[in-house]
Amino acid sequence: MNLVKNVSRGFLSPLEGLTIVLKSSKNLGFAFLPFFVGLVVVVFSYVIAGNYLSEWVVSFTQGLSFFESFSTIKPIVDFFLLVLSWLLVSLINFVVGYLFIIVFAGPFYALMVENIFKMELSQARSKSSLKLALNMFIWALGKLLIFGVVGIICFILSFVPGLNFLAPVIVVLMVAFDCFDYAFEVDALSLKDRFRFFFSHLGHFVGLGLAILCVGWVPGLFFILLPLFICGASKMYIQLR
């Protein structure tokens, strides 16, 4: 029952993040630019994919001699290849778009989370807002390498039968951990303490990951709602700590 409660709490935390954003004009201001950046990334990535993906699938199958003898099944193969390609492109867009957003919007997220600490506690635990924003920008650049390596691993796993289901699981748990990471930074947790918190409250992370997975089925929606996920995760962190 405790596990179900923890998973449910993590799953519903973005709704609490919505109330936090709307309750503070400062949080709303910090969330606006990331929202705008997310919207641009969504539109740009899927417009590019939509213009070229279907043409690539059709030209790919046209070049195969197999379909000269079995031309009747070509539309069926084209359809399944297009669906598979869209799923793969969606996963790539998710990882690449997320990296782009956290690099350029990460400092604003950090300031937003710092303000949540000020609202929920007597004072923020970071020494300098400017230093916090700079640290999160530098750390976001470091995440490019980490997310890039994990993204390549997930890309390979997506083609391995029996292991392909692990790719979205790894991605959503990694993103759920990153949603908490801003609160970790404000609270000045070491890397060891961050992972200790992760494994101690794994149910909450799984619940948040399920919410990310559900929202992720709508292309680009997660990027737009990302401030709500970060606010909800930060509020939950403060309560759990």
Side-chain angles (χ1 to χ4, degrees), residues 35-178:
F35 169 84
F36 179 75
V37 172
L39 189 62
V40 170
V41 170
V42 169
V43 173
F44 181 78
S45 60
Y46 282 96
V47 165
I48 294 296
N51 286 337
Y52 294 100
L53 194 59
S54 59
E55 294 180 5
W56 177 83
V57 170
V58 172
S59 62
F60 175 78
T61 55
Q62 281 179 346
L64 297 178
S65 59
F66 172 81
F67 292 108
E68 294 179 1
S69 303
F70 301 93
S71 58
T72 54
I73 66 171
K74 184 178 182 301
I76 300 175
V77 175
D78 285 344
F79 174 77
F80 282 104
L81 280 178
L82 186 61
V83 171
L84 181 63
S85 300
W86 266 110
L87 291 175
L88 187 58
V89 166
S90 296
L91 182 62
I92 295 173
N93 275 349
F94 185 88
V95 175
V96 175
Y98 185 76
L99 288 176
F100 181 85
I101 289 173
I102 62 175
V103 168
F104 290 95
F108 294 93
Y109 288 144
L111 296 175
M112 181 176 64
V113 172
E114 184 190 41
N115 189 55
I116 295 173
F117 271 73
K118 291 178 180 179
M119 292 168 57
E120 299 296 327
L121 304 172
S122 57
Q123 60 182 11
R125 301 186 184 186
S126 60
K127 296 181 180 180
S128 168
S129 297
L130 181 60
K131 182 179 179 181
L132 172 67
L134 182 60
N135 285 344
M136 288 309 298
F137 177 75
I138 296 174
W139 175 224
L141 295 177
K143 290 178 186 178
L144 289 175
L145 177 61
I146 299 173
F147 275 75
V149 172
V150 174
I152 293 173
I153 294 174
C154 291
F155 178 79
I156 296 173
L157 286 177
S158 63
F159 292 98
V160 180
L163 295 178
N164 47 8
F165 74 96
L166 287 176
V169 173
I170 294 172
V171 169
V172 297
L173 281 179
M174 183 172 61
V175 174
F177 183 89
D178 196 53

Side-chain angles (χ1 to χ4, degrees), residues 3-19:
L3 177 61
V4 173
K5 181 180 178 180
N6 293 341
V7 172
S8 300
R9 186 178 179 185
F11 184 80
L12 296 174
S13 61
L15 295 178
E16 191 169 9
L18 176 62
T19 62

